[in-house]
Amino acid sequence: MKDFLVQLDDLPDETLMSIFKKLCNFEVLYYLMDVNQRINRIARDRIFTHHLCLLEYCRIDDSSIPLSGPILDRFCSKILPEIGHQIETLYLERTSIERVLRATNYPNLNSLGLCDIDDDKLVMFLSSDTNSAIHLFNNQISSLFISFNKKNNSFVNNTSYSYIFAKILTIFTNLQCLKFNPYLPISGTLFLSMTLETAISPTLLELHINVFDIKDCNHILDGRFDQLRILRVNIDTIGFYHTYKELNVEYFYYILFV
């Protein structure tokens, strides 16, 4: 290992940077920080620290695999306190959210991803009477990604999702982009009629969401999101009596149905 590091240190910075780019950012930070002064400087470059996905399995549209205990321990105790001010985007999985968000200060964090999270756990995090770390960033976050743990579809889950959706728009006061369970159109369907009183946002510019039917789209397009410019929507059910002419497109430059 020592000989390998000597050979690695003989390479020019540009070559080392090209090699490190082949790795996940968390691998660069975990394995190379504090190896020596020069490699530590390269590993702490913004290209490896501004976007950090703390998942062993890095595809955020599937179930995530948490980092092992020793890796997470080192991140929380050593790495994150040193680079927290550089992190702008952070993706976490359900078992590490509170611990990572409380590990240090993140003054430049503006994009947060909560991956494979249980709906009941997120309800707890968002609850007004819970001292959740998520509330520490309510004014910072402009982009939020949420994917729920894969469960059987049920009325209970759908009502939870509707509550969470409304709560997010209340808590995150500067939210501009919300991707709400965009990859699971059936198990993540929203009943927007349940959130009409609270699902209002004057800042939201982009929304990725799953809804029950086209009537729910009209709830989005009725002016409560009057700054919205991009809507990507999965529709669970389109009845024979619905037509796309029913949609109010007054507030949108671009609407994409998938």
Side-chain angles (χ1 to χ4, degrees):
M1 181 67 177
K2 185 175 181 180
D3 292 338
F4 171 74
L5 291 176
V6 170
Q7 295 173 16
L8 191 66
D9 209 24
D10 288 337
L11 298 174
D13 285 3
E14 295 78 7
T15 303
L16 288 177
M17 186 73 76
S18 297
I19 293 173
F20 296 168
K21 285 180 181 178
K22 304 294 183 182
L23 303 173
C24 292
N25 287 354
F26 86 84
E27 293 175 321
V28 174
L29 294 167
Y30 179 75
Y31 292 109
L32 298 175
M33 269 188 67
D34 297 331
V35 166
N36 62 39
Q37 187 173 1
R38 177 176 174 239
I39 292 179
N40 184 59
R41 172 179 54 80
I42 297 173
R44 293 181 59 158
D45 188 276
R46 181 183 178 278
I47 198 168
F48 303 116
T49 59
H50 84 285
H51 182 109
L52 191 56
C53 187
L54 292 183
L55 311 172
E56 192 73 44
Y57 189 63
C58 291
R59 287 180 58 192
I60 59 175
D61 57 337
D62 278 314
S63 295
S64 60
I65 299 176
L67 297 180
S68 66
I71 293 178
L72 185 60
D73 288 345
R74 183 159 183 249
F75 264 99
C76 291
S77 63
K78 175 65 177 176
I79 299 173
L80 292 175
E82 293 188 18
I83 66 166
H85 63 287
Q86 296 176 264
I87 297 174
E88 299 171 19
T89 299
L90 189 58
Y91 279 88
L92 306 172
E93 56 79 43
R94 62 182 181 273
T95 65
S96 62
I97 292 172
E98 281 281 317
R99 186 177 178 190
V100 170
L101 290 181
R102 292 189 183 278
T104 189
N105 295 320
Y106 303 93
N108 295 305
L109 182 66
N110 57 63
S111 181
L112 180 63
L114 307 178
C115 303
D116 201 27
I117 190 169
D118 298 320
D119 58 322
D120 54 351
K121 189 167 188 177
L122 188 52
V123 167
M124 180 186 70
F125 284 158
L126 297 175
S127 230
S128 59
D129 59 351
T130 300
N131 185 24
S132 168
I134 291 178
H135 287 262
L136 298 175
F137 305 96
N138 62 335
N139 294 319
Q140 280 185 231
I141 300 301
S142 61
S143 178
L144 181 64
F145 171 92
I146 292 178
S147 69
F148 291 105
N149 188 18
K150 294 177 181 177
K151 297 179 179 180
N152 294 328
N153 191 35
S154 70
F155 181 80
V156 173
N157 280 347
N158 286 330
T159 54
S160 294
Y161 299 151
S162 299
Y163 170 83
I164 291 168
F165 177 76
K167 200 70 176 175
I168 284 170
L169 297 178
T170 301
I171 291 174
F172 294 96
T173 55
N174 291 312
L175 194 62
Q176 296 180 20
C177 176
L178 174 59
K179 297 182 180 180
F180 192 87
N181 211 27
Y183 303 115
L184 298 174
I186 296 178
S187 62
T189 299
L190 278 174
F191 295 139
L192 284 182
S193 59
M194 297 179 179
T195 63
L196 293 182
E197 295 299 322
T198 54
I200 300 173
S201 173
T203 62
L204 200 64
L205 301 176
E206 181 176 350
L207 177 62
H208 299 229
I209 199 171
N210 308 307
V211 297
F212 182 67
D213 63 16
I214 270 189
K215 288 183 177 180
D216 281 329
C217 291
N218 268 332
H219 294 322
I220 299 173
L221 300 171
D222 65 2
R224 68 188 64 244
F225 306 113
D226 59 356
Q227 297 301 311
L228 199 59
R229 295 297 177 265
I230 298 175
L231 172 64
R232 185 183 180 97
V233 59
N234 291 313
I235 301 175
D236 186 33
T237 302
I238 300 180
F240 69 90
Y241 50 88
H242 291 309
T243 69
Y244 288 104
K245 291 182 180 179
E246 293 177 358
L247 287 173
N248 173 5
V249 294
E250 178 183 354
Y251 297 103
F252 292 87
Y253 298 145
Y254 170 63
I255 300 177
L256 176 62
F257 292 91
V258 292

